[in-house]
């Protein structure tokens, strides 16, 4: 029997209402919320810092060309050793479950500063014309080390942002994505190369502007959004907590992963990041404090304390290809049990040149309940399967 359109709509609403009524969103854990209700329970009862998920370090990085890598190995085997990794394009990583990305930024307001890497000339290679064209446009660029480790799957920051935004729009239920940025401006150039420009307040204004050109504020978790009616972000995190998971799904948060001088340049005269789009890596006592990067195994006691305190923490499962070369899982396992909400790796998939080492969550899950923040509340059910 065919229902008229209005009657059909009412029937669907009735079914939805019945299903909603069957969910006990006040249950003690996700399992007891009722059949098919776990995700709705999590959206209502968990906050965005109650998760554990994984992502990638230097997410944009492509492999250094063979001629240049050979030159690096001859000049500095240890440095070449640590740079010998790469990642797929950002879209593929997101499809594969990465929910933390890292983009290293170089300030290039006039364009063209990094268009002709000295390492190519030194290793007898020519610069591809399309690379020169892309790097000649004004705007922030994404690269690891100028002249040496400059190959990126998206050379312009705004292009990387557009990829992430397009993927996010197509997957509105995703776990909140953390995008960390290094803005180191002290890396040395090769002979015939160029220095990085300083990341001062004007440069950081440009970072915020490029983010705002791609992401509307409604798509972001910002310091203002977290602070709400409280005087500082730190106070809000301690007294109210981060947004609920249901509010944070489908959104992105940015963080400046730098030391105190750069954080001061980004904050400028703002006490608690008022009006800024990004969180900052700062200590637990700062009025701007809500996010912190703690990458070392020795940091685990501090990670646990910060997570219990209310902070969001990013740490690393591996670094400089060391763990992959020896198939050593100790650092990875410690990171995953530390309480850090975001754990980054260079090996979502093994590099079979070295070993079978990889870093993923159990059973292929994308996000699960945080092991420090009451993991029993998820009853073993993935937040994002």
């Amino acid at each position: 029997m065919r229902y008229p359109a209005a009657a059909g709509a009412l029937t669907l609403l009735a079914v939805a209402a019945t299903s909603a009524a069957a969910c006990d969103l006040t249950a003690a854990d996700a399992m007891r919320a009722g059949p098919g209700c776990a995700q709705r329970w999590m959206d209502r009862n968990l906050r965005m810092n109650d998760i554990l998920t994984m992502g990638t370090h230097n997410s944009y990085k492509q492999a250094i060309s063979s001629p240049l890598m050979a030159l690096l190995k001859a000049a500095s085997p240890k440095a070449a050793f640590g740079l010998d990794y790469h990642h797929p394009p950002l879209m593929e990583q997101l499809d594969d479950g990465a929910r933390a990305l890292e983009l290293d930024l170089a300030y290039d307001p006039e364009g063209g500063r990094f268009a002709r890497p000295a390492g190519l000339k030194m290793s007898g290679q020519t610069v591809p014309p399309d690379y020169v064209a892309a790097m000649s446009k004004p705007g922030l660029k994404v690269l690891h080390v100028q002249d040496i480790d400059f190959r990126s799957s998206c050379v312009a920051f705004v292009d990387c942002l557009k990829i992430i935004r397009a993927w996010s729009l197509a997957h509105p239920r995703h776990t909140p994505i953390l995008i960390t940025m290094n803005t180191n401006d002290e890396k040395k150039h090769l002979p015939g190369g160029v220095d990085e420009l300083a990341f001062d307040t004007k440069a950081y204004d440009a970072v915020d502007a490029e983010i705002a050109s791609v992401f509307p504020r409604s798509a972001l978790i910002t310091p203002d959004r977290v602070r709400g009616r409280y005087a500082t972000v730190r106070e809000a995190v301690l007294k109210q907590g981060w947004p609920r998971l249901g509010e944070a799904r489908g959104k992105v948060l940015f963080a400046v992963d730098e030391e105190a001088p750069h954080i001061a340049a980004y904050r400028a005269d703002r006490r608690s990041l008022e009006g800024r789009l990004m969180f900052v890596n700062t200590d637990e006592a700062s009025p701007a404090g809500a996010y912190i990067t703690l990458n070392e195994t020795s940091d685990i006691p501090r990670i646990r304390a910060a997570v219990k305190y209310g902070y969001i923490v990013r740490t690393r499962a591996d670094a400089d290809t060391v763990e992959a070369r020896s198939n050593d899982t100790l650092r990875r396992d410690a990171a995953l049990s530390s309480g850090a909400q975001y754990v980054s790796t260079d090996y979502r998939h093994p590099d079979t040149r070295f070993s079978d080492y990889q870093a993923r969550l159990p059973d292929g899950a994308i996000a699960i309940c945080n092991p420090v923040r009451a993991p029993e509340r998820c009853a073993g059910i993935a937040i994002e399967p």
Side-chain angles (χ1 to χ4, degrees):
M1 177 178 177
R2 288 184 175 274
Y3 290 96
L10 289 172
T11 301
L12 290 173
L13 287 172
V15 170
T18 301
S19 299
C23 292
D24 180 5
L25 301 184
T26 64
D29 60 48
M31 181 69 75
R32 299 182 206 183
C37 297
Q39 294 296 313
R40 291 191 63 230
W41 185 94
M42 292 176 188
D43 285 356
R44 171 76 175 272
N45 290 281
L46 299 181
R47 294 191 179 270
M48 60 180 285
N49 58 324
D50 289 326
I51 67 169
L52 166 60
T53 190
M54 297 199 69
T56 53
H57 157 256
N58 289 349
S59 309
Y60 56 88
K61 185 173 164 8
Q62 294 187 306
I64 296 172
S65 67
S66 296
L68 183 50
M69 179 57 78
L71 196 67
L72 289 173
K73 286 180 177 178
S76 177
K78 183 177 181 180
F81 181 101
L83 294 174
D84 194 11
Y85 64 94
H86 61 279
H87 293 293
L90 298 184
M91 188 78 76
E92 290 184 25
Q93 294 180 56
L94 291 165
D95 282 340
D96 188 44
R99 297 295 178 265
L101 300 173
E102 183 178 47
L103 303 174
D104 290 349
L105 302 184
Y107 188 42
D108 188 21
E110 303 301 323
R113 187 173 187 84
F114 307 101
R116 291 175 172 80
L120 289 182
K121 183 177 181 180
M122 294 180 70
S123 56
Q125 301 175 85
T126 58
V127 186
D130 59 342
Y131 183 85
V132 174
M135 295 296 279
S136 295
K137 297 176 182 177
L140 293 150
K141 303 302 190 300
V142 177
L143 53 86
H144 189 212
V145 184
Q146 76 275 28
D147 297 326
I148 298 171
D149 193 11
F150 50 82
R151 297 186 68 223
S152 172
S153 59
C154 46
V155 298
F157 181 47
V158 72
D159 289 340
C160 299
L161 295 176
K162 287 177 180 177
I163 292 167
I164 298 164
R165 175 63 173 156
W167 187 91
S168 180
L169 284 170
H171 301 82
R173 288 278 301 163
H174 67 74
T175 301
I177 299 168
L178 170 67
I179 302 174
T180 53
M181 283 154 297
N182 291 149
T183 52
N184 189 335
D185 49 18
E186 299 174 352
K187 294 170 184 171
K188 301 300 182 182
H189 65 79
L190 292 179
V194 294
D195 285 327
E196 297 177 312
L197 293 176
F199 258 90
D200 55 13
T201 299
K202 184 177 179 181
Y204 281 117
D205 288 344
V207 179
D208 270 9
E210 290 201 10
I211 292 172
S213 75
V214 176
F215 285 89
R217 283 185 179 261
S218 60
L220 300 174
I221 302 294
T222 64
D224 285 343
R225 187 173 196 150
V226 172
R227 184 172 48 253
R229 62 184 177 83
Y230 292 93
T232 67
V233 175
R234 178 180 180 274
E235 184 183 5
V237 164
L238 292 179
K239 293 185 177 179
Q240 174 178 273
W242 290 81
R244 295 187 186 278
L245 181 60
E247 180 189 345
R249 285 192 190 268
K251 294 181 174 60
V252 174
L253 66 155
F254 289 84
V256 179
D257 182 9
E258 279 298 345
E259 301 298 327
H262 286 83
I263 299 308
Y266 183 63
R267 287 175 67 181
D269 58 354
R270 301 167 179 84
R271 181 168 182 247
S272 190
L273 301 170
E274 292 83 358
R276 283 303 202 186
L277 297 185
M278 300 185 285
F279 294 90
V280 294
N281 176 28
T282 189
D283 65 78
E284 296 88 332
S286 170
Y291 165 83
I292 192 166
T293 298
L294 295 168
N295 282 331
E296 305 303 325
T297 302
S298 59
D299 290 325
I300 286 180
R302 187 177 172 193
I303 292 173
R304 289 183 176 275
V307 167
K308 290 179 180 179
Y309 198 58
Y311 270 52
I312 282 179
V313 178
R314 175 250 171 154
T315 195
R316 289 184 64 180
D318 41 71
D320 303 322
T321 77
V322 172
E323 289 75 19
R325 290 175 187 270
S326 59
N327 199 15
D328 183 355
T329 61
L330 291 177
R331 180 173 180 172
R332 177 199 70 188
D333 295 345
L336 291 175
S337 63
S338 69
Q341 291 88 352
Y342 293 91
V343 178
S344 291
T345 179
D346 289 322
Y347 300 97
R348 293 277 295 166
H349 297 275
D351 186 333
T352 55
R353 296 176 303 159
F354 303 147
S355 72
D356 293 330
Y357 174 85
Q358 64 177 336
R360 301 180 78 91
L361 292 180
D363 303 318
I366 295 172
I368 60 177
C369 236
N370 188 281
V372 169
R373 295 183 61 84
E376 68 279 357
R377 301 180 74 203
C378 288
I381 302 170
I383 290 172
E384 187 177 353

